Amino acid sequence: LFRMYNTGATPLTGNVSAHYASDSGTMVAQVRAGFDQSLMSVYTIPAGHVGYFLNLNMSTPKNSEVDGRLYFRNFGGVFRIQHSGNMYGSSYNFDFQIPLAIPEKTDVDLRAQAASSGIDVAGHYDIVLVKDNEFSLWSTGY
């Protein structure tokens, strides 16, 4: 689950959340009232593809310390940290000189932890998806 949004003609008047396993399980997504769409920074590399993680950008407008952390979870595994960056009322940008190769079915999760509550953080990253064997086909001229 990497996106939830309201498809109706009436704006939401309350929060709508999705939980893992049951209504009392771990919340995995939320659409806040007035937004009508989730604002999450998660993605799963589709089956039959490899993802190449190119860059990462995070920013916060308030003068508060925020730690941003990039996690990958290989299929069937646990989330492991891949990169971290710190901001204080600014932005953090990182270009991977050699893109990080991400296998199929891997979950990508960008998280932020602020020193205080009520801090907005924006996150963005670019991933290029390449279908399995696509490089082999390019090299043979197909």
Side-chain angles (χ1 to χ4, degrees):
L1 178 64
F2 73 96
R3 175 84 66 230
M4 285 177 39
Y5 55 91
N6 179 4
T7 60
T10 304
L12 298 174
T13 57
N15 296 343
V16 175
S17 19
H19 296 259
Y20 179 74
S22 70
D23 287 344
S24 60
T26 302
M27 183 171 46
V28 294
Q30 183 181 61
V31 177
R32 290 174 41 196
F35 286 63
D36 288 300
Q37 175 173 299
S38 61
L39 295 172
M40 305 183 323
S41 190
V42 296
Y43 186 71
T44 302
I45 305 301
H49 292 76
V50 174
Y52 292 94
F53 197 97
L54 304 175
N55 58 54
L56 170 65
N57 173 276
M58 299 176 288
S59 62
T60 182
K62 292 188 177 180
N63 287 334
S64 179
E65 186 173 359
V66 177
D67 290 321
R69 298 179 184 128
L70 175 66
Y71 291 86
F72 293 170
R73 177 175 59 189
N74 289 23
F75 184 68
V78 298
F79 278 106
R80 294 182 300 139
I81 193 164
Q82 303 296 310
H83 187 83
S84 65
N86 185 270
M87 301 161 282
Y88 186 86
S90 63
S91 63
Y92 175 85
N93 300 295
F94 192 86
D95 293 320
F96 292 89
Q97 296 301 313
I98 299 173
L100 301 177
I102 312 168
E104 68 176 355
K105 301 180 185 178
T106 297
D107 296 321
V108 176
D109 192 357
L110 183 58
R111 303 176 190 176
Q113 183 174 358
S116 58
S117 63
I119 304 300
D120 291 330
V121 178
H124 167 82
Y125 47 80
D126 292 315
I127 298 173
V128 172
L129 294 177
V130 177
K131 189 172 181 174
D132 284 348
N133 301 319
E134 195 69 27
F135 285 130
S136 298
L137 295 175
W138 289 343
S139 66
T140 58
Y142 292 104

